[in-house]
């Protein structure tokens, strides 16, 4: 039998075939290659034969003295252009004046006429050089140039032809703004130049006039000299008229403009559509440039092109005829455009260069991303980078409140249409890029936003808080007390105190009792003791080396019967009751059920309407009010308002991508990574405990990409804490890096760890252990499989991001599938909970995964109803009475 | 040779094309660089009876001449077709020029085939740019052969310029809107299966995504066809939607190569003739959906599609090269002249690979209440997921192969690591990635496919 290698070997052409050319055969230059990518080519090679390393911007001029010449490149780094021949390319892109600008004496006019030509845009390429360019042609005015015009062009040069065409409108928009900036500066400079020239001419005329008069008086007749002077005077007179006319034309520019709507925005000199002009710069740009003086008049903020009076210009005697073309030095671009405008243009070009830097697929995907994210305002806070539109105010909330005031059960459409924002459609890519443009500018041109004082003090101060005082709560009323009486959580959660909270199953009860009954003992325990008290699940490190999975030394006990979150949350906040009829029904009827389903407890912090609460609820709040007050007062005085993470600089996708590297390393090093991630995704605060700050911070950094609702500035992450934390801290921090210290302060810290161990997961990076509830399922396995072959952190981040997108979608589905939450009849309360459970099971989620969805859903609900969570951090607190286990490597 | 290039007369030859509706194209021109006279316009095509919108011949000539300016410096390889794109605000026009070399009067000349549109149509034209350029590029390839052989290039160019005018005209009236309201689609049904069978909808969307969002929807009922067209368009980007077309209730459009989704109406006999060549020349494989009989068929994946396309193109060009006379170069004659033009009747096949992504999406989206924005938001989640998965896959392959320097050998790992073990899911994500990085399919699957094709061809030759 003939095998494929044998056959393929026969397919090679023989020598005869090479030498003989059949005239009937189509020559290759008239054909197309059978494969778009030849033997050594691949989808990435199209950029490989370009002689420059990355995209850049080139400014060229068609000089009247030397022809087309490159002036500058952005970035200004010779390495970027490599061996690419800038002179040749300038020649190519400047070889045609597509503007057909006309300056001269038009028929019927005795004076030169300025023609305000509009910019031309050309996309062209040099396939042999592998260079393609978007070329933006513009004309600047120069009094000393031939015809008063100097043709320039700005070109965005890339090796990717598709990129240029696909981003044409964005490029065009960006370069139009830069061009308008240049031209505005140029008009101003040109007007100033004319003004000075007129002064010189007038001065010259007066001198000549005097001289002529003198000569006439001296000679008494029209001598040759007098006639020459008179001719010269006439020339000066004519020149004055011409220059006055030019000045009139240039100053009347704004009334003449043109066709492109977007250009009209920049008719005036002050062109900085996106970057606010620095006040000094503004002053500079709005003033008359004065060559004889460095000082600038601050008297005017008018941005019109009308020239200001030069305050100290001394007119000079000049010749009516200008110097020969090659005798004079042409002005530089900076001189032509006024320095401030020139630098502003360069800034804009730098922004453009940054905006379009890199691979087209990433640029394009990020544009699509932005367009789609706009539709997902309701959920994007969970794992997406916070965008500008999110800051535009809680439009959805306000609109929603408008619905609320009607008290008529509004159809969900009105709510959803408001929550998802008015621009439900995908914004045009232009808009998207402009958003990006703004953002880039902000990032590149502004300093980091001011971080709050607390941000800094939290990070730098060792321990401003009296830990003893803060730790004065007894554990038996820790979470419940907080939940019930916190002013931020006026609803509290339910009638039950700790001891009555979770009494559903015996095992659970036992555990709860053991915890609540021994807080003092726990306080004295070392961390190791705390861990040893738990069930130990030791994980074979060998599995990290590529084996199939974790090995549990002892079988995990059967999951406890679902804990009683719904029984704990006795009353939904009034806001929710009123605002979301489907959900309202759910909570009103569903929560009083004795049936226990689900494990997460949603604690709604915002406003409380006492009237809406049951008597028991009110009583609870009154009883616990004093505790809360004292607690909160302590807490607020502790300067813990916000996380110092990243010092108030917004967390960007770039940072998250970098974090992806640490995350990848983490999941490979720690076989119990999935459990740690489960903690974070299900809303359980994870404490990373360690003695070395660097190690702890690295781990925190690795895990932050899994924290839901991390906040714009990472408010829910505390990367390094050297003092003990309190229960309220667990509300706002979902990931804490905690310093292990041997001092007495350390024992207090361990005390708090053991006290709150029910509500947290503890990752001990010194002992390489993790203590948290178990996780069973496949969801996180797909997200954090330690055998993954993903090589780069940024790729891993993309993978995690797409998995989290999927998770977010499911949370959205669960939240807004109203039939899941609506009771069919008034007595149908119990079935709602089972319906929810079944719904999630039908989606293929295990019990633990359902907890994740439920937690995310609570966040979505809260965000939808209350608006973005700001200020004191996370308002939703989730805990579970599931048994924790100790995982070891 | 002289017959092909008669002496220049002051008046440029012009073809006026009668259009049914308004055509946004102002003119098309063929110009060349005369070694003595410089740029010269050889032929102008203009739509007939478009009123004051049209440019004068002088203006067209002026613009066409400008497209060749600077091309004296051209140093492209022989056979290369370079594209230039002008937005001349001063003239209020946009010009697309294809620059190529061709033999006229025995000399190698630089030539330009250009189309001119008003600047106000920039937003309309840009999404269609690559469609027009790809089609014009192929006609230029054929035109170059005609020039080489001494035949008239004008007739050849006319055969594509007129359809492009018709395409632009039809897109003006029947293009899918940039934003599709979900209420106009099947996703607004109260329950899955209300308008069409669940499995049909699943198959249609799944195959549509597997073929890079490129589909033709045929049927007898224009409303039904358009509803499917709009439903499929939901899964496209706004730019791709602007490159899709609804069907016309009164008389069907012809199939147009390069559109993403297009609705086509069957004739009174209930049949529709699909031009094999044009479907094959589409940049992506196509899904064929018949809403009358609820069938979904699809073309093979990108790498196979590309291979068939290139082979057919080469055959066509080769036949043209061998054509004995100018009379034999019409498409019909070319098709009959070579065996290799025999269409593969199995070009559309059943959708073989099931997926879980679309299946679960359809199941879930119908759980949400219709008539609200909920489904629209959920759809955006789904699309975001697909785009992100595609980007992840692309990066994964980049990392594995050091951007193509090494062959890709770890498809199994990729499937496991990125949760794409179901073949249909992989196909969908690969198709999305192909649009981001052209040639990805060939890079990943091309070698084994090509080897098998070589084997087959060789065995057949024995």
């Amino acid at each position: 039998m003939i095998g494929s290698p044998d056959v393929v070997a026969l397919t090679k052409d023989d020598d005869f075939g090479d030498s003989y050319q059949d005239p009937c055969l189509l020559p290759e230059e008239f054909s197309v290659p059978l494969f778009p990518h030849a033997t050594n080519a691949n989808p990435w090679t199209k950029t490989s034969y370009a002689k420059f390393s990355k995209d850049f911007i080139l400014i060229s001029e068609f000089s009247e003295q030397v022809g087309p010449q490159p002036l500058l490149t952005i970035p200004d780094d010779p390495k970027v252009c490599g061996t690419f021949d800038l002179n040749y390319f300038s020649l190519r892109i400047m070889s045609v004046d597509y503007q057909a600008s006309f300056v001269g004496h038009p028929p019927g006019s005795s004076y030169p006429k300025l023609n305000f030509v509009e910019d031309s845009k050309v996309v062209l390429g040099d396939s042999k050089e592998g260079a393609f360019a978007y070329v933006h042609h513009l004309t600047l005015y120069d009094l000393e140039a031939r015809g008063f015009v100097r043709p320039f062009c700005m070109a965005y040069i890339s090796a990717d032809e598709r990129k240029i065409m696909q981003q044409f409108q964005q490029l065009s928009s960006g370069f139009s703004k830069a061009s308008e900036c240049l031209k505005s500066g140029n008009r101003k400079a040109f007007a100033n130049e004319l003004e000075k020239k007129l002064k010189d001419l007038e001065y010259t005329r007066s001198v000549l006039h005097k001289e002529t008069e003198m000569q006439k008086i001296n000679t008494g007749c029209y001598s040759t000299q007098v006639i020459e002077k008179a001719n010269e005077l006439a020339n000066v007179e004519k020149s004055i008229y011409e220059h006055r006319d030019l000045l009139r034309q240039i100053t009347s520019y704004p009334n003449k403009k043109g066709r492109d709507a977007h250009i009209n925005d920049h008719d005036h000199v002050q062109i900085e559509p996106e970057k606010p002009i620095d006040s000094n710069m503004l002053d500079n740009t709005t003033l008359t440039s004065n060559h004889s003086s460095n000082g600038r008049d601050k008297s005017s903020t008018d941005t019109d092109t009308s020239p200001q009076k030069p305050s100290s210009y001394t007119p000079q005697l000049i010749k009516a005829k200008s110097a020969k073309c090659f005798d004079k030095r042409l002005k530089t671009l900076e001189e032509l455009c006024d320095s401030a405008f020139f630098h502003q243009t360069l800034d804009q070009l730098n922004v453009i260069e940054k905006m379009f830097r890199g691979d087209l697929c990433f640029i394009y995907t990020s544009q699509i991303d932005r367009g789609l994210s706009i539709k997902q305002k309701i959920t994007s806070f969970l794992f997406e980078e916070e965008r500008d539109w999110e800051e535009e105010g809680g439009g959805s909330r306000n609109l929603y409140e408008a619905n609320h005031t009607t008290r008529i059960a509004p159809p969900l459409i009105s709510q959803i249409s408001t929550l998802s924002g008015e621009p439900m459609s995908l914004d045009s890519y232009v808009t998207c890029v402009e958003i990006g443009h703004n953002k880039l500018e902000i990032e590149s041109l502004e300093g980091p936003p001011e971080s709050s004082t607390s941000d800094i003090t939290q990070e730098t101060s060792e321990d401003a808080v009296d830990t003893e005082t803060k730790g004065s709560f007894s554990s038996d009323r820790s979470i419940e007390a907080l939940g019930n009486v916190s002013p931020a959580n006026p609803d509290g959660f339910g009638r039950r105190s700790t001891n009555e909270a979770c009494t559903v199953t015996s095992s659970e009860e036992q555990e709860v009792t053991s915890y609540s009954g021994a807080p003092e003992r726990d306080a004295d325990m070392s961390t190791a003791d705390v861990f040893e008290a738990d069930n130990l699940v030791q994980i074979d490190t060998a599995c990290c080396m590529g084996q199939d999975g974790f090995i549990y030394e002892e079988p995990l006990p059967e999951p406890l019967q679902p804990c009683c979150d719904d029984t704990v949350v006795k009353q939904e906040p009034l806001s929710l009751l009123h605002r979301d009829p489907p959900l309202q029904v759910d909570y009103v009827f569903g929560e009083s059920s004795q049936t226990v389903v689900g494990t997460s407890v949603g604690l709604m912090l915002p406003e409380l309407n006492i009237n809406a609460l049951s008597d028991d609820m009110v009583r609870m709040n009154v009883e616990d009010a004093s505790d809360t007050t004292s607690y909160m007062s302590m807490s607020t005085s502790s300067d813990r308002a916000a996380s110092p993470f990243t010092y108030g600089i917004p967390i960007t996708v770039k940072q998250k991508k970098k974090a992806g590297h640490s995350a990848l390393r983490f999941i490979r090093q720690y076989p119990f990574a999935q459990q740690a991630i489960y903690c974070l995704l299900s809303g359980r605060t994870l404490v990373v405990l360690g003695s070395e700050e660097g190690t702890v911070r690295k781990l925190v950094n690795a895990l932050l990409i899994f924290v839901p609702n991390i906040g714009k500035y990472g408010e829910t992450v505390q990367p390094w804490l050297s003092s003990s934390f309190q229960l309220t801290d667990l509300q706002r921090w979902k990931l804490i890096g905690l310093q292990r210290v041997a001092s007495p302060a350390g024992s207090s810290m361990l005390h708090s760890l053991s006290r709150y161990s029910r509500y947290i997961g503890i990752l001990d990076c010194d002992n390489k252990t993790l203590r948290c509830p178990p996780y069973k399922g496949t969801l996180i396995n797909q997200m954090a499989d330690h055998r993954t072959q993903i090589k780069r952190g940024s790729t891993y981040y993309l993978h995690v991001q797409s998995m989290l997108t999927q998770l977010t979608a499911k949370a959205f589905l669960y939240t807004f599938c109203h039939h899941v939450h609506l009771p069919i009849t008034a007595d149908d309360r119990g079935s709602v909970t089972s319906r929810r459970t079944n719904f999630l099971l039908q989606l293929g989620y295990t019990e633990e995964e359902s907890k994740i969805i439920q937690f995310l859903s609570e966040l979505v609900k809260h965000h939808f109803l209350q608006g973005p969570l700001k200020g004191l951090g996370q308002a939703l607190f989730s805990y579970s009475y599931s048994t924790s286990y100790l995982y070891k490597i | 040779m002289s017959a092909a290039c008669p002496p220049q007369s002051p008046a440029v030859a012009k073809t006026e094309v009668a259009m049914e509706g308004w055509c946004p194209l102002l003119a098309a021109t063929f110009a060349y660089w005369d070694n003595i006279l410089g740029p010269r316009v050889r032929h102008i095509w203009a739509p007939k009876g478009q009123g004051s919108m049209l440019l004068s011949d002088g203006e067209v000539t002026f613009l066409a001449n400008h497209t060749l300016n600077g091309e004296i410096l051209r140093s492209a390889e022989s056979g290369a077709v370079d594209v230039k794109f002008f937005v001349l605000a001063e003239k209020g026009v946009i010009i697309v020029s294809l620059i190529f070399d061709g033999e006229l009067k025995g000399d190698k000349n630089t030539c330009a085939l250009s189309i001119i549109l008003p600047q106000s149509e920039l937003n309309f034209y840009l999404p269609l740019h690559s469609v027009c350029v790809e089609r014009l590029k192929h006609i230029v390839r054929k035109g170059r052969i005609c020039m080489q052989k001494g035949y008239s290039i004008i007739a050849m160019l006319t055969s594509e310029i007129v359809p492009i005018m018709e395409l632009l005209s039809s897109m003006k009236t029947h293009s899918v809107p940039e934003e599709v309201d979900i209420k106009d689609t099947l996703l607004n049904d109260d329950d899955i299966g209300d308008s069409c069978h669940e499995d049909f909808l699943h198959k249609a969307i799944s195959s549509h995504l597997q073929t890079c969002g490129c589909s033709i929807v045929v049927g007898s009922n224009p409303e039904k066809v358009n509803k499917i067209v709009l439903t499929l368009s939901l899964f496209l980007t706004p730019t791709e939607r602007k490159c899709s077309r609804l069907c016309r209730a009164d008389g069907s459009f012809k199939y147009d190569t390069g559109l993403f989704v297009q609705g086509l109406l069957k004739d009174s006999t209930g049949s529709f003739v699909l031009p094999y060549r044009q479907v094959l020349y589409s940049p992506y494989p196509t899904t064929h959906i018949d809403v009358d009989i609820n069938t979904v068929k699809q073309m093979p994946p990108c790498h196979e599609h590309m291979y068939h396309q290139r082979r057919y193109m080469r055959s066509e060009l080769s036949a043209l090269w061998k054509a004995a006379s100018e009379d034999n170069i019409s498409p019909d004659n070319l098709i009959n002249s070579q065996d290799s033009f025999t269409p593969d009747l199995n070009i559309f096949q059943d959708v073989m690979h099931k997926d879980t992504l679309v299946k679960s999406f359809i199941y879930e989206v119908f759980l949400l209440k219709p008539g609200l924005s909920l489904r629209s938001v959920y759809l955006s989640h789904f699309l975001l997921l697909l785009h992100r998965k595609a980007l992840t896959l692309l990066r994964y392959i980049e990392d594995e192969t050091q951007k193509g320097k090494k062959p890709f050998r770890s498809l199994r790992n990729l499937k496991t690591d990125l949760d794409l073990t179901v073949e249909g899911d992989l196909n969908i994500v690969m198709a999305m990635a192909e649009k981001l990085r052209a040639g990805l399919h060939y890079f990943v699957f091309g070698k084994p496919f090509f080897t098998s094709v070589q084997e087959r061809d060789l065995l057949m030759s024995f």
Side-chain angles (χ1 to χ4, degrees), chain A residues 4 7 29 32 35 118 121 123 128 162 169 259 359 369 379 384 413 789 791-792 794-795 805, chain B residues 75 78 85 87 89-90 123 144 179 314 371-372 381 388 395 399-400 417 435 437 450 455 458:
Chain A
S4 61
V7 177
E29 62 164 296
V32 286
F35 299 101
E118 293 189 50
K121 299 146 195 177
V123 176
K128 203 170 185 180
R162 201 174 157 210
Q169 284 189 306
R259 295 175 191 171
D359 204 324
D369 214 306
T379 51
E384 303 294 320
I413 184 169
Q789 297 297 310
K791 289 191 164 50
R792 297 166 73 100
S794 56
T795 309
T805 306
Chain B
S75 62
S78 180
F85 180 69
V87 179
E90 276 299 304
N123 288 338
R144 289 183 69 243
E179 289 302 323
R314 286 166 72 93
L372 314 177
H381 277 107
R388 287 187 168 167
R395 282 299 299 263
D399 297 346
E400 283 290 320
D417 290 340
K435 286 199 275 187
R437 178 77 66 194
F450 182 53
E455 285 174 26
L458 194 67

Side-chain angles (χ1 to χ4, degrees), chain B residues 241-312:
Chain B
R241 280 180 207 140
K242 288 203 263 184
C243 209
S244 302
R245 191 175 63 191
L246 297 162
C247 84
R248 189 169 58 174
D250 49 340
S252 180
F253 291 122
K254 287 179 190 163
Y255 173 85
D256 265 301
T257 304
L259 296 182
F260 277 94
V261 185
Q262 50 188 315
L264 299 164
L265 219 54
K266 290 179 181 174
D267 61 19
S268 54
T269 63
S271 64
F272 180 82
V273 179
L274 203 57
Y276 175 81
R277 173 183 154 272
Q278 289 171 34
V279 176
L280 205 57
Y281 282 4
S282 170
Y284 300 115
T286 303
T287 292
H288 179 281
I289 299 165
D290 190 323
V291 296
D292 291 346
I293 51 173
N294 286 358
T295 56
V296 181
K297 305 266 184 185
Q298 66 177 195
M299 289 170 81
C302 292
H303 58 288
E304 283 189 54
H305 172 72
M306 200 56 73
Y307 173 77
H308 293 313
Q309 183 190 84
R310 296 293 174 130
R311 221 165 76 134
Y312 194 88

Side-chain angles (χ1 to χ4, degrees), chain B residues 354-368:
Chain B
K354 298 284 180 191
D355 71 284
T356 60
L357 286 169
V358 176
K359 191 179 172 65
S360 58
F361 166 72
I362 290 177
Y363 168 72
E364 287 157 10
V365 80
F366 281 99
L367 294 174
L368 292 163

Side-chain angles (χ1 to χ4, degrees), chain A residues 696-851:
Chain A
V696 171
R697 277 184 181 276
K698 269 184 193 169
L699 278 176
V700 168
N701 189 45
L703 287 161
L704 70 87
I705 59 174
F706 301 101
V707 180
N709 188 23
I710 193 169
K712 185 173 184 179
Y713 303 100
E715 296 94 325
T716 53
V717 177
Q718 173 56 269
W720 182 244
L721 187 66
S722 44
S723 61
S724 60
F725 57 85
Q726 299 301 312
L727 208 53
T728 44
D729 295 332
L730 300 184
Q731 277 186 294
R732 72 176 154 252
W733 293 333
K734 292 295 161 190
L735 179 58
I736 301 173
L738 188 63
Q739 183 183 18
R740 169 182 272 131
V741 282
S743 65
S747 66
S748 144
M749 187 194 69
L750 293 177
H751 176 80
S752 67
L753 264 186
S754 62
R755 178 183 299 159
Y756 305 129
S757 59
R758 272 174 295 174
Y759 320 123
I760 59 176
I762 302 167
L763 174 61
D764 187 336
C765 56
D766 296 332
N767 298 313
K768 300 269 193 290
T769 60
L770 172 71
R771 184 191 169 282
C772 70
Y775 165 75
K776 275 186 197 169
T778 55
L779 180 75
I780 299 180
N781 185 42
Q782 287 159 359
M783 199 184 295
D785 184 355
H786 65 114
R787 291 163 300 175
T788 183
Q789 297 297 310
I790 293 174
K791 289 191 164 50
R792 297 166 73 100
S794 56
T795 309
Y796 178 66
Y797 170 70
L798 288 175
H799 173 58
V800 170
Q801 196 188 28
S802 63
M803 297 298 293
L804 293 176
T805 306
Q806 202 164 10
L807 208 52
T808 305
K810 294 289 159 55
F812 174 85
L813 180 74
Y814 176 73
T815 309
F816 293 101
C817 251
H818 56 283
H819 72 271
V820 175
H821 307 286
L822 279 175
I824 296 166
T825 63
D827 300 327
D828 196 33
R829 301 165 200 166
S831 70
V832 171
T833 46
S834 65
R835 222 182 304 144
R836 288 176 178 171
T837 311
N838 288 335
F839 181 80
L840 290 169
L841 283 174
Q842 274 181 354
L843 291 180
Y845 290 124
T846 62
E847 189 187 356
E848 286 81 12
E849 288 162 356
S850 297
K851 285 179 194 171

Side-chain angles (χ1 to χ4, degrees), chain B residues 160-375:
Chain B
E160 192 63 59
I161 285 170
V162 174
I164 281 181
M165 283 181 174
E166 286 167 351
L167 166 71
L168 294 176
S169 181
S170 70
M171 292 302 288
K172 234 4 203 173
T173 53
H174 283 76
S175 75
V176 171
E178 191 175 352
E179 289 302 323
V180 174
D181 191 341
I182 204 165
K183 287 176 187 162
D184 301 328
T185 70
L186 293 175
L187 294 193
N188 198 50
D189 286 356
D190 282 343
D191 204 356
I192 189 167
D194 280 2
S195 298
C196 67
H197 193 264
E198 177 184 352
D199 190 48
F200 170 67
L201 182 64
H202 169 216
K203 220 182 242 182
I205 296 174
S206 177
S207 179
H208 170 67
L209 289 171
Q210 288 179 39
T211 53
C212 306
C214 192
S215 298
I216 46 175
V217 185
V218 296
S220 306
N221 182 346
E223 283 176 15
K224 210 171 169 185
V225 168
N226 282 342
K227 201 162 189 182
I228 295 278
V229 169
L230 290 172
T231 305
L232 297 180
S233 299
L234 285 175
F235 298 86
L236 301 177
T237 65
T239 311
E240 289 167 349
R241 280 180 207 140
K242 288 203 263 184
C243 209
S244 302
R245 191 175 63 191
L246 297 162
C247 84
R248 189 169 58 174
D250 49 340
S252 180
F253 291 122
K254 287 179 190 163
Y255 173 85
D256 265 301
T257 304
L259 296 182
F260 277 94
V261 185
Q262 50 188 315
L264 299 164
L265 219 54
K266 290 179 181 174
D267 61 19
S268 54
T269 63
S271 64
F272 180 82
V273 179
L274 203 57
Y276 175 81
R277 173 183 154 272
Q278 289 171 34
V279 176
L280 205 57
Y281 282 4
S282 170
Y284 300 115
T286 303
T287 292
H288 179 281
I289 299 165
D290 190 323
V291 296
D292 291 346
I293 51 173
N294 286 358
T295 56
V296 181
K297 305 266 184 185
Q298 66 177 195
M299 289 170 81
C302 292
H303 58 288
E304 283 189 54
H305 172 72
M306 200 56 73
Y307 173 77
H308 293 313
Q309 183 190 84
R310 296 293 174 130
R311 221 165 76 134
Y312 194 88
M313 274 184 182
R314 286 166 72 93
S315 300
E316 189 188 16
L317 295 172
S318 190
L320 186 60
W321 181 261
K322 289 174 189 166
S325 73
E326 199 165 350
D327 300 332
N328 295 335
I329 61 171
S330 70
D332 289 341
N333 286 336
L334 288 178
I335 288 170
N336 295 329
S337 67
Q338 281 206 349
D339 292 341
S340 55
F341 279 105
T342 309
D344 181 0
L345 296 176
N346 293 322
I347 186 170
F348 285 106
Q349 297 160 355
D350 287 332
V351 183
M352 300 300 288
H353 302 296
K354 298 284 180 191
D355 71 284
T356 60
L357 286 169
V358 176
K359 191 179 172 65
S360 58
F361 166 72
I362 290 177
Y363 168 72
E364 287 157 10
V365 80
F366 281 99
L367 294 174
L368 292 163
K369 204 172 178 180
L372 314 177
S373 304
L374 290 171
R375 291 184 180 179

Side-chain angles (χ1 to χ4, degrees), chain A residues 55 74 125-126 135 154 181 277-278 392 437 506 583 652 667 698 757:
Chain A
D55 298 0
I74 294 167
D126 192 327
V135 189
M154 299 180 286
C181 192
I277 298 178
D278 177 71
E392 286 167 7
H437 194 157
S506 58
L583 295 171
T652 60
I667 64 161
K698 269 184 193 169
S757 59

Side-chain angles (χ1 to χ4, degrees), chain A residues 4 7-8 10-11 23-37 42-44 88 91-92 95-96 98-99 116-124 126-128 161-162 165 168-169 259-260 359 361-362 364-365 368-369 372 375-376 379 384 412-413 416-417 420 424-426 428-429 782 788-792 794-795 798-799 801-802 805-806 808-810 812-813 816-819 839 842-843, chain B residues 66 69-71 73 75-76 78-80 82-92 108 119 122-123 126 129 141 144-145 148 178-179 237-240 306-307 310-311 313-314 317-318 321-322 363-364 367-369 371-374 376-378 380-381 383-385 387-389 391-392 394-401 403-405 413 417-419 435-440 442-443 450-451 454-455 458 462:
Chain A
S4 61
V7 177
V8 173
L10 296 172
T11 60
C24 288
L25 272 182
L26 179 69
E28 273 307 306
E29 62 164 296
F30 291 99
S31 185
V32 286
L34 188 55
F35 299 101
H37 301 288
N42 61 61
W44 293 269
Y88 168 77
L91 178 65
R92 179 144 170 75
S95 59
V96 179
Y98 291 104
Q99 293 178 288
F116 296 98
V117 290
E118 293 189 50
D119 298 351
S120 302
K121 299 146 195 177
V122 182
V123 176
L124 50 79
D126 192 327
S127 53
K128 203 170 185 180
E161 186 177 14
R162 201 174 157 210
M165 273 320 290
F168 178 84
Q169 284 189 306
R259 295 175 191 171
D260 284 351
D359 204 324
C361 6
F362 292 95
Y364 184 60
T365 310
I368 293 172
D369 214 306
L372 291 170
K375 285 191 167 185
Q376 300 167 14
T379 51
E384 303 294 320
L412 204 54
I413 184 169
I416 301 306
S417 60
S420 54
M424 287 300 291
S425 61
L426 289 179
S428 70
Y429 291 147
Q782 287 159 359
T788 183
Q789 297 297 310
I790 293 174
K791 289 191 164 50
R792 297 166 73 100
S794 56
T795 309
L798 288 175
H799 173 58
Q801 196 188 28
S802 63
T805 306
Q806 202 164 10
T808 305
K810 294 289 159 55
F812 174 85
L813 180 74
F816 293 101
C817 251
H818 56 283
H819 72 271
F839 181 80
Q842 274 181 354
L843 291 180
Chain B
H66 268 62
N69 278 352
E71 291 306 325
L73 298 163
S75 62
S78 180
D82 294 330
V83 182
K84 282 165 87 175
F85 180 69
F86 308 90
V87 179
L88 305 182
E90 276 299 304
K91 301 288 176 191
K108 281 253 176 193
Q119 195 188 349
L122 181 64
N123 288 338
L126 277 176
H129 175 74
R141 287 186 199 114
R144 289 183 69 243
I145 294 176
Q148 187 71 20
E178 191 175 352
E179 289 302 323
T237 65
T239 311
E240 289 167 349
M306 200 56 73
Y307 173 77
R310 296 293 174 130
R311 221 165 76 134
M313 274 184 182
R314 286 166 72 93
L317 295 172
S318 190
W321 181 261
K322 289 174 189 166
Y363 168 72
E364 287 157 10
L367 294 174
L368 292 163
K369 204 172 178 180
L372 314 177
S373 304
L374 290 171
S376 181
V377 176
Y378 195 61
S380 71
H381 277 107
L383 294 176
L384 188 60
L385 172 69
H387 283 289
R388 287 187 168 167
K389 276 188 174 286
L391 191 63
T392 311
L394 204 53
R395 282 299 299 263
Y396 188 97
I397 296 171
E398 271 186 27
D399 297 346
E400 283 290 320
T401 62
K403 289 201 170 182
K405 289 187 186 113
N413 287 339
D417 290 340
L418 304 186
D419 189 24
K435 286 199 275 187
L436 293 175
R437 178 77 66 194
L440 190 73
Y442 178 75
F443 181 71
F450 182 53
T451 306
Q454 278 186 314
E455 285 174 26
L458 194 67
F462 282 130

